[in-house]
Amino acid sequence: MRIKILKNIVQSIKETLQNLCQLDRELQQIAIPEPARTAFFFQTKTLNYGIEGQRFAIEWFEKLIAETGQKKTKSKDRSNS
């Protein structure tokens, strides 16, 4: 049950990551007027921070799923002994 919940979390994060990456691709196609370039630069850096945060979260939760699966296997092994 826990692993299913964790996998749902990972799927949700992946969807968010896809949306952020799509937004980033779209923003790269926009011609930004000179007066707005500095603000746009920092806004896109903030977007990049969000993208990297989502990637880290996916990796973190996938490791947690692996660790949870290992603990479950060890628990079964102990109960079968």
Side-chain angles (χ1 to χ4, degrees):
M1 181 68 156
R2 289 181 192 152
I3 290 178
K4 183 178 179 181
I5 292 168
L6 293 172
K7 286 182 178 182
N8 287 341
I9 291 169
V10 170
Q11 184 57 39
S12 177
I13 296 168
K14 285 181 177 180
E15 290 170 10
T16 300
L17 176 60
Q18 286 177 344
N19 291 335
L20 292 176
C21 288
Q22 178 62 34
L23 177 60
D24 187 43
R25 285 188 294 275
E26 291 171 12
L27 291 175
Q28 289 177 18
Q29 304 302 315
I30 298 174
I32 306 300
E34 183 58 42
R37 285 186 184 162
T38 300
F40 183 76
F41 172 80
F42 286 102
Q43 289 172 339
T44 56
K45 288 299 180 185
T46 302
L47 175 59
N48 184 257
Y49 178 83
I51 289 169
E52 293 302 318
Q54 296 302 299
R55 288 181 177 146
F56 173 80
I58 291 167
E59 183 179 322
W60 190 89
F61 275 102
E62 286 178 343
K63 285 179 183 176
L64 180 59
I65 290 168
E67 290 172 8
T68 302
Q70 288 174 358
K71 284 184 179 182
K72 193 173 186 179
T73 302
K74 287 180 183 178
S75 295
K76 285 182 181 179
D77 289 345
R78 285 186 197 135
S79 64
N80 290 335
S81 301

